[in-house]
Amino acid sequence: MSYRLLLRIAVVLLVSLFGSLGVRAAVEEGQSPQPGKRLAIVIGNSDHRSPRLPHLANAANDATRFSESLKRLKFDVLTATNLSSDGFTELFKQAEGKLADASAVLIFYAGHGVQLGGENYLLPVDTPNAENLQELIAGAVKLNDVISRFASRERQTFVFLDACRNNPMGKGPSAMDGLAQIEVGENTFIAFATQPGNVAVDGSGDNSPFTTALLKNVEIPGLSISDMMIRVRNETEAITIGRQVPWDQSNLREQFYFTEQQVLDPAQLSASLSRILADPAAKERLKVELASNDLQTAVLIVGQTLRSVEVSPLPDAAAKPAGTQVASLEGAKQSIVSGLEALIVGTSATETDSQKATDLARSIQTELRRLGCYRMTVDGSWGKGSVRALTNYYKNTARTASATEPTVELLSDLFLHSGRVCKDPVVVRKIKPAKVATEAAPARKGAGNRKAARSQQQSSRPAAPPPDISGGIGIGGVF
């Protein structure tokens, strides 16, 4: 074999080897990164040693029950009860070790908390039997420090506080009952058990009123955190007969869903709706829930109450052949179209065709919003925004647009879809600093004397300060 032939074979082998390595590297680079874990830090302090801090029977129960819910929602949960000052330090240190892989962080605290000079403090169980507030907070955990430690612009941070208790040292010029409003950091959501300065009760059951309402709603599939808090607020207020109204502040940059990835079995959804429609009492309850929820969420809530059918996740949905999924959806859809016709469109002779069309459009907009495709006001007016949302739905489900106008068949199709279909993130655009004219800069060609005079007058004024948005927006008001 000649030297030239051997050289040619060697070159071919080298090219093949490096080429395959390059292809493998390109494939590895092209793979989408795994979604980060959702980290939760859950604390419940019941057994405080100071006689000035009453025993809170439900705080530890609240933490334990809420941890169980979060674990079912696939959070990586760190749970601790009756933490001392050193216990807080160790728990937060352990949590910091998990931050690198976290896409979201949730902090829940149930126990005694106080405010002093507008600052909020969480009280460890070894808080001393103090004679004044300064002694009381000497070993306390400053809430703003906790938020600063775990909050980040790059991930969402959620804080739930069931700690708005009586101030054990009494009221004063800088000391008030309950907790104070907080300067919300970027991409942060904070929920209080009651309004600022008010007192939350521990409750007579196994859990506090706030946590009871939270546990009832946090696992409802497809419910955004904003919609969940509306339900929590209304239910807590009802439990406490108006004495306690949960409050929240938010600077989130996009919506958050506790059950975003959950896919439900369409056949079971169909069966649950059929059972409800066949029961007059359940049907009336469903109509009540539809006043504040989308159709799928309303069916799940009424179904849970009646225990008529258990709607479970569909763990192997992605592994099933596409044809099987389509056939299952079509079969389920045909079985509920007639029921939705009577429920949503109605058979009442007093309703005009226009009113029926508005009801149907409103229901479809609500389902599109649950799926993440509609971000406008749900008003029953079917216009360009609604058509755009529907087109986005078709695009993200890889379906041919069968209709662009509201139909009962379309509503049925949307009802049987779960999870988040449209996941377009909110784009945060950087604001470019305005150019400041200098004396050396030449005047723009064609500018008149009047425009130059106006420009000179404006430049002589001091620049207005940027708007203060650190306080966030609370659903109960703006502060």
Side-chain angles (χ1 to χ4, degrees):
M1 188 179 290
S2 66
Y3 172 76
R4 185 172 295 177
L5 181 59
L6 284 173
L7 183 61
R8 227 178 248 179
I9 293 172
V11 169
V12 170
L13 289 173
L14 286 172
V15 168
S16 300
L17 174 62
F18 285 109
S20 63
L21 289 175
V23 169
R24 189 193 309 169
V27 169
E28 290 175 352
E29 288 178 4
Q31 290 176 346
S32 58
Q34 294 296 317
K37 294 181 179 179
R38 305 192 294 181
L39 174 65
I41 307 163
V42 182
I43 304 165
N45 279 0
S46 287
D47 301 326
H48 291 268
R49 300 169 193 172
S50 170
R52 293 183 182 274
L53 300 175
H55 176 72
L56 300 174
N58 286 336
N61 293 341
D62 292 343
T64 301
R65 286 284 310 280
F66 194 55
S67 293
E68 293 168 357
S69 286
L70 292 176
K71 288 175 183 176
R72 287 192 292 269
L73 293 169
K74 309 303 181 185
F75 276 79
D76 182 5
V77 185
L78 298 174
T79 310
T81 57
N82 298 321
L83 281 182
S84 64
S85 182
D86 290 340
F88 271 100
T89 301
E90 288 300 317
L91 180 66
F92 290 153
K93 184 177 179 181
Q94 184 182 356
E96 279 188 318
K98 296 174 174 284
L99 278 181
D101 298 327
S103 61
V105 177
L106 184 149
I107 302 167
F108 174 91
Y109 174 78
H112 279 295
V114 297
Q115 63 163 302
L116 176 63
E119 285 278 6
N120 295 315
Y121 298 85
L122 311 180
L123 301 183
V125 294
D126 58 350
T127 298
N129 188 24
E131 296 297 327
N132 55 60
L133 271 171
Q134 282 69 28
E135 292 180 12
L136 186 73
I137 66 172
V141 178
K142 186 185 290 188
L143 182 58
N144 277 348
D145 290 346
V146 177
I147 296 171
S148 298
R149 190 170 183 174
F150 291 100
S152 170
R153 178 186 173 89
E154 277 67 47
R155 63 172 172 266
Q156 294 175 311
T157 304
F158 307 92
V159 182
F160 290 85
L161 299 167
D162 200 350
C164 313
R165 312 294 180 178
N166 274 322
N167 194 319
M169 307 307 298
K171 298 181 182 179
S174 59
M176 300 287 291
D177 279 339
L179 297 181
Q181 297 170 12
I182 298 174
E183 290 190 358
V184 181
E186 289 189 279
N187 221 2
T188 303
F189 179 98
I190 301 177
F192 299 87
T194 189
Q195 58 266 53
N198 196 32
V199 177
V201 296
D202 196 42
S204 56
D206 293 332
N207 298 103
S208 74
F210 176 68
T211 301
T212 297
L214 197 58
L215 291 169
K216 185 178 177 181
N217 292 283
V218 71
E219 294 186 64
I220 294 177
L223 208 59
S224 70
I225 191 168
S226 299
D227 290 338
M228 184 199 75
M229 278 306 302
I230 291 174
R231 296 184 61 85
V232 168
R233 181 176 299 106
N234 292 336
E235 291 178 16
T236 304
E237 187 174 8
I239 293 171
T240 61
I241 319 176
R243 291 172 52 198
Q244 189 174 324
V245 183
W247 202 266
D248 59 77
Q249 298 172 244
S250 175
N251 193 15
L252 294 179
R253 296 190 175 277
E254 58 183 308
Q255 196 53 271
F256 178 82
Y257 296 81
F258 283 96
T259 57
E260 181 175 356
Q261 302 301 326
Q262 189 171 17
V263 178
L264 303 177
D265 187 346
Q268 288 196 22
L269 277 171
S270 173
S272 185
L273 177 58
S274 298
R275 295 269 186 97
I276 292 170
L277 294 177
D279 183 335
K283 185 176 179 180
E284 289 304 313
R285 192 173 299 180
L286 180 62
K287 289 180 180 179
V288 172
E289 290 294 340
L290 284 173
S292 57
N293 291 291
D294 58 83
L295 177 60
Q296 188 182 96
T297 301
V299 167
L300 290 170
I301 292 170
V302 176
Q304 287 176 356
T305 303
L306 298 177
R307 302 295 181 197
S308 58
V309 66
E310 181 181 358
V311 181
S312 59
L314 191 63
D316 298 322
K320 287 188 176 183
T324 304
Q325 291 183 30
V326 171
S328 174
L329 284 172
E330 287 300 320
K333 186 167 65 174
Q334 290 303 318
S335 68
I336 62 174
V337 166
S338 59
L340 291 180
E341 181 81 38
L343 179 71
I344 304 297
V345 178
T347 56
S348 173
T350 58
E351 274 195 327
T352 64
D353 290 341
S354 176
Q355 288 173 325
K356 293 178 181 180
T358 299
D359 291 343
L360 180 59
R362 185 183 292 110
S363 297
I364 290 176
Q365 288 172 341
T366 306
E367 295 303 306
L368 286 169
R369 184 177 64 175
R370 172 179 60 80
L371 295 167
C373 304
Y374 185 76
R375 299 188 178 187
M376 300 173 67
T377 303
V378 175
D379 54 8
S381 177
W382 193 262
K384 291 182 180 179
S386 301
V387 173
R388 192 182 309 115
L390 183 57
T391 302
N392 198 15
Y393 164 77
Y394 284 130
K395 176 183 176 183
N396 282 277
T397 54
R399 293 185 172 201
T400 304
S402 57
T404 57
E405 295 297 321
T407 64
V408 178
E409 289 76 10
L410 173 60
L411 176 61
S412 175
D413 180 55
L414 297 172
F415 164 69
L416 293 172
H417 264 287
S418 52
R420 303 294 293 165
V421 172
C422 306
K423 299 182 181 180
D424 298 334
V426 177
V427 179
V428 181
R429 294 181 175 84
K430 294 183 178 179
I431 301 174
K432 296 181 180 180
K435 295 181 179 180
V436 180
T438 61
E439 293 181 1
R444 192 169 58 182
K445 188 175 180 180
N449 294 335
R450 185 178 300 173
K451 191 172 182 179
R454 190 187 307 121
S455 175
Q456 184 178 357
Q457 183 181 6
Q458 288 178 348
S459 63
S460 64
R461 298 173 183 170
D468 180 11
I469 60 171
S470 61
I473 298 177
I475 292 181
V478 180
F479 31 81

